[in-house]
Amino acid sequence: MRGLTGLAGLLVLVELLPRLGLVNDAYLPPTSRIAAALGDELVTAEFWQAVGDTLMGWAIGLVIAVAAGVVVGIAVGAVPVLRAATASTIEFLRPIPSVALIPLAVLLYGTDLGSTLLLVVYAAFWQVLVQVLYGVADVDPIADETARSFRFGTWARVRHVLWPTALPYVFTGVRLAASVALVLAVTAELVIGAPGLGKSIAVAQTSGAVPLMYALIAVTGLLGVAINLAARAFERRTLAWHQSVRGEVPA
Amino acid sequence: MLEVSSLKKVYRSGAREVEALRDLTFTVDSGELVCLVGPSGCGKTTLLRCIAGLLEPTGGQVRLDGREVSGPPPGLAMVFQEYGRSLFPWMSVRDNVELPLKQKKITRDRRKTLVEQALDAVGLAGTESAYPWQLSGGMQQRVAIARAVAYEPSTLLMDEPFAAVDAQTRADLEDLVRALWQRLEVTVLFITHDIDEAVYLGQRVVMLSSSPTVVQDEITVDLPSTRDQLHTRADPRFTELRTHVYEQIQAAKRGLQLGGAGASS
Amino acid sequence: MKRVAYVLGLPVVLFAAWYLLSAGSESFYAPPLSTILESFGKTWTLDRLGTDVVPSLLRLVAGYALAAVIGVAVGVTIGLNRRVRATVEPVLEFFRAIPPPVLVPVIMLFAGIGNGMKIIVIVFGCVWPVLLNTVEGVRAVDSVQIDTAKAYGISGPARLGRVILPAASPQIAAGLRQALSIAIILMVISEMFAASNGLGFTIVQFQRSFAIPEMWSGIILLGLLGFGLSLLFRLAEGRALRWYHGLRDAQRRS
């Protein structure tokens, strides 16, 4: 309830600041004008096309990053030699800012979806990989030794010991990757000009349509909130299941 | 001197009311060591938080050395059951003991002496620069006791301080508490759920009823003032007192009020 | 010996593979590594570092430090007050969810295209993770620790400085770590948008003028910068939170 008050307060504040002349309304239009611009935009096909493009880049990139992150993470994590040998390389590559790849993306893909995907996949992949590696490292040695003592093969150990332990970490990784992926999708559109909401924002900016620009930015924020909430709800449900299963097995 | 009179605490959450303490009255004289025992869930923690000024009672009052408690009183030090959470893990043993003294605006030289003496008194000299989590559970609780001792309180409140340490460490710590009490002449209120511990440590034992809590019974422990784990616990009088307290606690669990049994004096 | 082999082995192999595979490369976009390295030396001269890299880094440091101070200060205030927290939390979540680079056009409206704009962009993007993590860290301080502080008369600034902030510091550090990568991204993006110097500006200039080996060398420099900054952060964090890592290890062993 109180949270709604806070949101309402923000809307009122943005309405009043320019109306009272505290902020130039050419820079910050009042809420009502932003809302009107959003209302006009909501009925156009271009807007929904842009939302669709952004979500498409986000979703495809996320799926590739998650799949690659999980496969590489389990393969590397399950084999101690590989884990030791790749640790330094991962530590080196992970902090490389994905925006460093923007010029490369432009050269390779121009303003196509490919540019967006390159940035999204690169940024989201590390989030998943690192969490999967944490998850694999968290495997209880006793559980693993139990599995070995019953002569489980590698695949059975991955399937019955490693994967269930790593699962909550995988979901954390997916949640983190989902928000990073949205940031990079919009960034790529904004900077490179690949189709999507980011490009619409850039167009609105260069054409001086300030209320529309604010409206579109609010839309990206709402998309981000929606993705966060969905990912958290999804994670909570899976984790609840996981913990209840753990609770039944005496430690 | 600690006086608890007609203390009452009711928790409210929405429309529901839970009466934790109904009507509690007892006193602890200056320099006395009194143990409080009660069945589990008898509102011991609520009582303690009221005495320490961390919780506002619904009715009645707590007076410490004649003054009504309405916030954490200056002459009172507390040892918590959860030593691992009560010691600050980001500070060394020395800093943990010293921090409350800094708040009392004690000079640096005096602080140094107090910290050294306190750590020495609990047998921890030489661990000053370690972090608490580098020590065993029993040693961590000793740090917490040293922190309380260095504070130079007139009254020491101990909330089931040894509930989470192993039996042998516990015996050592019990003797430490008696030794410190005799040496420093402080008033000690010791809360426990362990009947043997209560009889072994206390000059008096106050037994609480189940929640909503009242005082169930009270006995004076007429054992010799020099006590040790071997002989005191083998004393027939110890067994009698123990049995009496045990019966009262069992009665409290069933919600009965037993008539004055022979052991009370 | 074995550890050194593990740390250096794969990077050396990858480097050698890139070097050898690209050696005879005719591809315009993927020049031989030897060419890239050569242009690295020629491009990133001391002069260039002074005119392009240092301004970028200064803006980064200024924006990041401001965001850290504001985030922790406001976060503590909100975290200690349950009512304020419940009221503003959805607003903060909304601001955090906005992809930070879209703030660039907005802030350009207010602050033009100078250094001020770039620093404000960095502050605006970085402040949310610091702020929200501080709120969460302050909110989650152990109740026994708070009771201990109260019982021993530790109040006011001492309770804040010696108890609440240290207790929240692991969570605050997590926020600062997220903020660091956002800061680097925004430093580059704000320079790509509108600048006359800086790393982001220079790299885009190379790409637009099809100076491919130079562009690659810029990408490598950015990578090294990201790696270096995160290494610095880890060292600082390891030092400041030594107690926390020790405590966690101790708990894990028991």
Side-chain angles (χ1 to χ4, degrees):
Chain A
M1 257 338 274
R2 252 203 197 104
L4 289 179
T5 325
L7 284 175
L10 177 71
L11 295 179
V12 171
L13 185 73
V14 172
E15 179 74 29
L16 289 180
L17 280 179
R19 290 246 183 254
L20 296 176
L22 295 170
V23 176
N24 187 339
D25 69 351
Y27 297 161
L28 178 67
T31 310
S32 49
R33 270 171 58 204
I34 298 177
L38 182 63
D40 292 343
E41 192 68 7
L42 285 177
V43 295
T44 63
E46 289 86 359
F47 171 76
W48 293 106
Q49 179 67 40
V51 172
D53 284 335
T54 297
L55 285 179
M56 173 118 90
W58 169 78
I60 298 177
L62 185 61
V63 167
I64 297 175
V66 169
V70 168
V71 170
V72 174
I74 297 251
V76 166
V79 185
V81 178
L82 272 183
R83 203 188 315 175
T86 52
S88 63
T89 311
I90 290 174
E91 281 312 304
F92 178 73
L93 291 177
R94 185 162 68 112
I96 293 180
S98 47
V99 289
L101 300 178
I102 287 178
L104 194 65
V106 174
L107 286 181
L108 291 176
Y109 302 106
T111 58
D112 291 344
L113 182 63
S115 281
T116 309
L117 286 182
L118 180 69
L119 297 191
V120 171
V121 171
Y122 184 85
F125 170 74
W126 298 110
Q127 304 286 340
V128 183
L129 177 70
V130 168
Q131 288 299 322
V132 174
L133 286 176
Y134 283 153
V136 174
D138 194 39
V139 167
D140 189 340
I142 308 278
D144 196 43
E145 277 163 19
T146 311
R148 276 172 203 270
S149 74
F150 284 110
R151 302 175 62 79
F152 278 34
T154 307
W155 174 244
R157 273 187 13 241
V158 167
R159 168 96 180 66
H160 297 293
V161 180
L162 209 147
W163 178 246
T165 312
L167 198 59
Y169 291 87
V170 173
F171 280 108
T172 306
V174 172
R175 174 166 59 80
L176 296 175
S179 30
V180 168
L182 182 73
V183 171
L184 267 296
V186 174
T187 304
E189 294 156 9
L190 181 76
V191 179
I192 300 173
L197 280 171
K199 186 183 180 187
S200 308
I201 292 173
V203 171
Q205 183 222 356
T206 43
S207 61
V210 177
L212 176 61
M213 183 178 86
Y214 276 97
L216 291 170
I217 287 172
V219 170
T220 61
L222 292 175
L223 268 186
V225 171
I227 286 171
N228 275 342
L229 289 179
R232 259 184 236 169
F234 187 54
E235 190 187 12
R236 209 174 308 130
R237 278 176 59 180
T238 10
L239 281 185
W241 163 81
H242 186 266
Q243 274 159 356
S244 70
V245 168
R246 287 195 82 140
E248 283 170 17
V249 185
Chain B
M1 175 159 168
L2 174 71
E3 299 157 276
V4 175
S5 43
S6 317
L7 195 69
K8 180 183 177 72
K9 178 69 194 178
V10 180
Y11 288 103
R12 279 195 188 83
S13 70
R16 270 188 50 212
E17 285 194 357
V18 180
E19 189 179 21
L21 306 178
R22 175 163 287 170
D23 182 12
L24 265 177
T25 304
F26 65 90
T27 54
V28 183
D29 287 329
S30 291
E32 206 184 2
L33 199 173
V34 171
C35 290
L36 270 180
V37 268
S40 35
C42 73
K44 282 178 294 215
T45 308
T46 305
L47 169 62
L48 206 88
R49 287 172 58 91
C50 285
I51 296 175
L54 296 171
L55 201 64
E56 185 96 3
T58 314
Q61 60 170 342
V62 177
R63 297 174 77 83
L64 185 72
D65 301 327
R67 259 176 316 197
E68 183 169 357
V69 169
S70 59
L76 185 134
M78 185 152 168
V79 176
F80 291 80
Q81 178 186 344
E82 305 93 335
Y83 51 81
R85 291 162 63 196
S86 165
L87 294 172
F88 301 128
W90 48 87
M91 287 181 193
S92 66
V93 167
R94 180 192 297 111
D95 291 346
N96 263 292
V97 178
E98 197 181 0
L99 181 62
L101 306 182
K102 280 188 182 158
Q103 287 301 295
K104 275 173 88 178
K105 306 257 187 293
I106 292 173
T107 61
R108 176 191 293 262
D109 289 344
R110 177 83 183 123
R111 287 204 308 257
K112 193 163 178 279
T113 323
L114 282 171
V115 171
E116 265 170 25
Q117 281 174 355
L119 285 173
D120 208 36
V122 300
L124 279 182
T127 60
E128 289 86 351
S129 49
Y131 284 111
W133 39 266
Q134 290 172 321
L135 308 175
S136 68
M139 283 164 90
Q140 289 185 36
Q141 196 54 291
R142 279 172 197 263
V143 176
I145 294 172
R147 177 169 64 184
V149 166
Y151 198 59
E152 297 184 298
S154 70
T155 308
L156 189 55
L157 270 187
M158 305 187 88
D159 177 17
E160 302 196 19
F162 310 142
V165 295
D166 64 77
Q168 282 168 31
T169 310
R170 185 175 190 142
D172 291 344
L173 289 171
E174 285 166 4
D175 290 335
L176 174 68
V177 166
R178 279 220 37 119
L180 287 172
W181 164 67
Q182 277 167 336
R183 209 171 85 199
L184 303 172
E185 295 169 343
V186 286
T187 314
V188 178
L189 180 62
F190 191 104
I191 297 187
T192 178
H193 62 253
D194 184 325
I195 293 161
D196 287 49
E197 185 167 82
V199 175
Y200 180 76
L201 280 179
Q203 286 180 303
R204 260 188 317 135
V205 176
V206 174
M207 286 147 273
L208 302 177
S209 72
S210 314
S211 188
T213 313
V214 295
V215 172
Q216 172 89 9
D217 190 18
E218 200 183 304
I219 55 162
T220 301
V221 179
D222 46 6
L223 293 166
S225 72
T226 336
R227 299 184 189 172
D228 71 83
Q229 297 285 348
L230 211 57
H231 298 99
T232 306
R233 286 184 195 267
D235 191 324
R237 185 61 186 152
F238 179 84
T239 322
E240 271 174 52
L241 291 166
R242 213 198 87 159
T243 309
H244 175 78
V245 176
Y246 184 79
E247 280 167 359
Q248 287 293 338
I249 300 288
Q250 289 304 315
K253 277 191 200 163
R254 293 191 301 269
L256 291 175
Q257 183 82 43
L258 286 190
S264 71
S265 52
Chain C
M1 190 59 216
K2 205 169 167 189
R3 256 192 76 209
V4 174
Y6 273 133
V7 171
L8 293 179
L10 188 63
V12 168
V13 169
L14 288 176
F15 188 82
W18 186 4
Y19 198 95
L20 293 175
L21 288 175
S22 68
S25 171
E26 302 281 312
S27 161
F28 180 68
Y29 294 143
L33 184 56
S34 54
T35 317
I36 295 174
L37 290 178
E38 201 178 310
S39 79
F40 190 99
K42 266 191 245 157
T43 310
W44 303 104
T45 55
L46 274 183
D47 233 19
R48 198 50 164 281
L49 291 178
T51 54
D52 284 319
V53 181
V54 171
S56 288
L57 282 177
L58 286 179
R59 292 191 281 253
L60 176 85
V61 170
Y64 184 68
L66 265 175
V69 171
I70 297 172
V72 172
V74 178
V76 167
T77 318
I78 295 174
L80 289 178
N81 189 323
R82 197 181 309 166
R83 275 197 189 165
V84 175
R85 194 175 73 225
T87 311
V88 300
E89 211 146 44
V91 176
L92 298 179
E93 288 288 347
F94 172 71
F95 275 112
R96 173 159 72 173
I98 296 177
V102 305
L103 297 169
V104 177
V106 176
I107 292 165
M108 271 168 70
L109 281 176
F110 288 93
I113 56 169
N115 280 329
M117 175 279 268
K118 290 170 192 107
I119 292 172
I120 295 173
V121 165
I122 294 174
V123 172
F124 246 85
C126 291
V127 81
W128 311 112
V130 182
L131 206 164
L132 283 157
N133 275 283
T134 306
V135 170
E136 188 52 35
V138 168
R139 191 185 65 80
V141 175
D142 194 317
S143 59
V144 175
Q145 288 173 352
I146 298 285
D147 276 354
T148 305
K150 283 185 187 161
Y152 283 98
I154 302 164
S155 54
R159 194 186 302 169
L160 186 65
R162 306 299 302 267
V163 180
I164 292 173
L165 277 180
S169 59
Q171 184 90 35
I172 296 175
L176 287 172
R177 196 177 319 125
Q178 285 175 29
L180 182 63
S181 45
I182 296 178
I184 300 173
I185 290 178
L186 289 176
M187 172 191 90
V188 176
I189 299 271
S190 65
E191 291 168 356
M192 284 180 173
F193 248 82
S196 52
N197 65 4
L199 256 176
F201 169 77
T202 315
I203 293 174
V204 167
Q205 284 305 309
F206 287 144
Q207 173 237 316
R208 291 202 179 129
S209 57
F210 293 96
I212 304 302
E214 286 78 6
M215 179 197 89
W216 271 103
S217 78
I219 293 176
I220 291 175
L221 183 66
L222 255 183
L224 287 173
L225 194 72
F227 174 70
L229 287 174
S230 94
L231 195 69
L232 272 181
F233 185 91
R234 286 229 320 247
L235 288 176
E237 193 210 359
R239 185 164 271 250
L241 294 184
R242 206 161 53 98
W243 64 270
Y244 176 69
H245 298 295
L247 174 67
R248 284 230 325 227
D249 287 346
Q251 283 169 345
R252 211 172 293 152
R253 272 197 302 275
S254 63

